[in-house]
Amino acid sequence: MRVDVYTPFLLSLLLAAVSPLVGRRVAPSLAARVLACAAVMSAAATAWSLLLLAATLVGAAPPVVADAREDGRRIPEPVPEVVAFAACALLFVLAYRVFAAVRAECRIRRALQVMCEGQPPDTELIVADSPVAQAFAIPGRAGSLGRILVTSTMLGALSAGERRVLLAHERAHLTHRHARLCTAVTLACAANPVLAPVRHMVVFLVERWADERAAAVVGGRDCTARALARAALTPGCREPSRGLAFIDRAVTRRVVALQTAPLPRLWPLAATVVALGVLTALGAADATGDLLQLFEPALV
């Protein structure tokens, strides 16, 4: 308990440190999945560890202390009280962060759904008349794949082949449920701010993943790179505040990546990332068992 309860926090730091390496070396589709999975496990384990630290205050509760003194039992103190109180404070802060993140995600989803109102249910592409060059995927509700919203300015700036790239990119977001990955890692980051680098990397990787799928569909990485570059240089181009967009602040890195060979699926490195997430869960589970063993004689 004295050591295991802290291992999830240390492993979270390690996961955040290795996430850029994974993003540079592993194929985007695999890297995004394993990083998101490890982040969720790590966030859950660190939250549970904080709960265990806070639970040690049970031993200091007046009824428990009184009963122990009457029976001549000693109340164990696995961690200092100041650590337990700090864990309580952190739990409240992180709970508010998660609540705020969930509320923000719900607000964004509602705003995106409003954009689709009035459209036929089988309409995939929505073209908005706007001077702003934007294109992004709108995740669908249960049983619906989703929609693609593109402004007239964006369509007008691209050639026929580049439009196919754009649509293939956004369809990849919808087909592979990238919004769910981004939401999961966003909530994990809210529960454990140390994982912010992992969240940034996963958001970047889902764009790279969609770029690679678009390149495979249109049959050319050069064409995909040109479409990205042209869209980014379009007058009126603006980074969207919501959704999975064709253009984001990492477009230069994405263009460079498309001009090189596709990254391999380095399964050993991917397995190492998943192992980090599993180890955080095992550390929290071991700390739980230790805490129960410590308090069992005193609370029986």
Side-chain angles (χ1 to χ4, degrees), residues 147-199:
R147 311 282 183 88
I148 298 171
L149 190 145
V150 185
T151 63
S152 55
T153 301
M154 177 66 82
L155 287 178
L158 303 178
S159 66
E162 291 164 349
R163 291 174 187 172
R164 288 195 295 271
V165 170
L166 184 149
L167 295 178
H169 175 100
E170 301 303 339
R171 286 192 186 105
H173 282 320
L174 298 175
T175 301
H176 298 287
R177 308 290 184 180
H178 289 167
R180 294 183 181 180
L181 274 181
C182 292
T183 298
V185 78
T186 295
L187 296 181
C189 180
N192 185 350
V194 170
L195 299 173
V198 183
R199 176 186 175 276

Side-chain angles (χ1 to χ4, degrees), residues 15-26 31 35 201 263 266 269:
L15 177 61
V18 302
S19 60
L21 174 64
V22 176
R24 290 193 301 266
R25 300 291 182 86
V26 182
L35 284 174
M201 183 53 63
L263 292 173
L266 295 180
L269 184 55

Side-chain angles (χ1 to χ4, degrees), residues 238-249:
R238 185 182 305 168
E239 293 174 8
S241 59
R242 58 180 70 90
L244 294 166
F246 185 56
I247 297 300
D248 65 8
R249 58 180 59 89

Side-chain angles (χ1 to χ4, degrees):
M1 170 69 183
R2 296 181 186 276
V3 176
D4 292 341
V5 74
Y6 300 110
T7 55
F9 303 100
L10 298 176
L11 291 172
S12 294
L13 287 170
L14 183 57
L15 177 61
V18 302
S19 60
L21 174 64
V22 176
R24 290 193 301 266
R25 300 291 182 86
V26 182
S29 58
L30 178 60
R33 289 188 181 106
V34 297
L35 284 174
C37 180
V40 169
M41 288 190 289
S42 181
T46 51
W48 183 252
S49 293
L50 285 174
L51 189 62
L52 292 178
L53 291 170
T56 60
L57 290 174
V58 172
V64 176
V65 173
D67 290 344
R69 287 176 178 174
E70 288 180 3
D71 298 339
R73 291 182 275 113
R74 185 179 67 85
I75 299 293
E77 188 179 354
V79 298
E81 284 191 7
V82 65
V83 174
F85 279 113
C88 285
L90 276 175
L91 279 173
F92 281 112
V93 171
L94 296 179
Y96 175 77
R97 282 174 54 89
V98 172
F99 170 76
V102 171
R103 185 174 57 182
E105 288 290 324
C106 292
R107 187 166 57 246
I108 290 172
R109 291 294 179 92
R110 284 195 298 269
L112 292 174
Q113 293 301 327
V114 167
M115 295 180 181
C116 299
E117 290 181 354
Q119 300 291 332
D122 58 345
T123 300
E124 179 195 38
L125 178 63
I126 301 173
V127 180
D129 186 13
S130 171
V132 178
Q134 284 188 353
F136 51 88
I138 302 176
R141 296 175 179 174
S144 173
L145 188 59
R147 311 282 183 88
I148 298 171
L149 190 145
V150 185
T151 63
S152 55
T153 301
M154 177 66 82
L155 287 178
L158 303 178
S159 66
E162 291 164 349
R163 291 174 187 172
R164 288 195 295 271
V165 170
L166 184 149
L167 295 178
H169 175 100
E170 301 303 339
R171 286 192 186 105
H173 282 320
L174 298 175
T175 301
H176 298 287
R177 308 290 184 180
H178 289 167
R180 294 183 181 180
L181 274 181
C182 292
T183 298
V185 78
T186 295
L187 296 181
C189 180
N192 185 350
V194 170
L195 299 173
V198 183
R199 176 186 175 276
H200 294 320
M201 183 53 63
V202 171
V203 171
F204 169 71
L205 286 172
V206 297
E207 295 298 336
R208 284 279 301 112
W209 182 352
D211 290 342
E212 294 293 343
R213 292 303 307 152
V217 169
V218 302
R221 297 169 66 79
D222 290 338
C223 180
T224 304
R226 284 196 304 271
L228 276 172
R230 190 185 302 275
L233 295 174
T234 300
C237 181
R238 185 182 305 168
E239 293 174 8
S241 59
R242 58 180 70 90
L244 294 166
F246 185 56
I247 297 300
D248 65 8
R249 58 180 59 89
V251 65
T252 303
R253 293 168 57 195
R254 290 163 56 193
V255 170
V256 171
L258 285 167
Q259 293 175 334
T260 59
L263 292 173
R265 288 176 173 268
L266 295 180
W267 289 101
L269 184 55
T272 301
V273 173
V274 175
L276 284 177
V278 173
L279 286 174
T280 59
L282 292 177
D286 197 34
T288 303
D290 292 344
L291 184 64
L292 292 176
Q293 288 180 1
L294 284 171
F295 280 106
E296 185 178 7
L299 299 178
V300 171

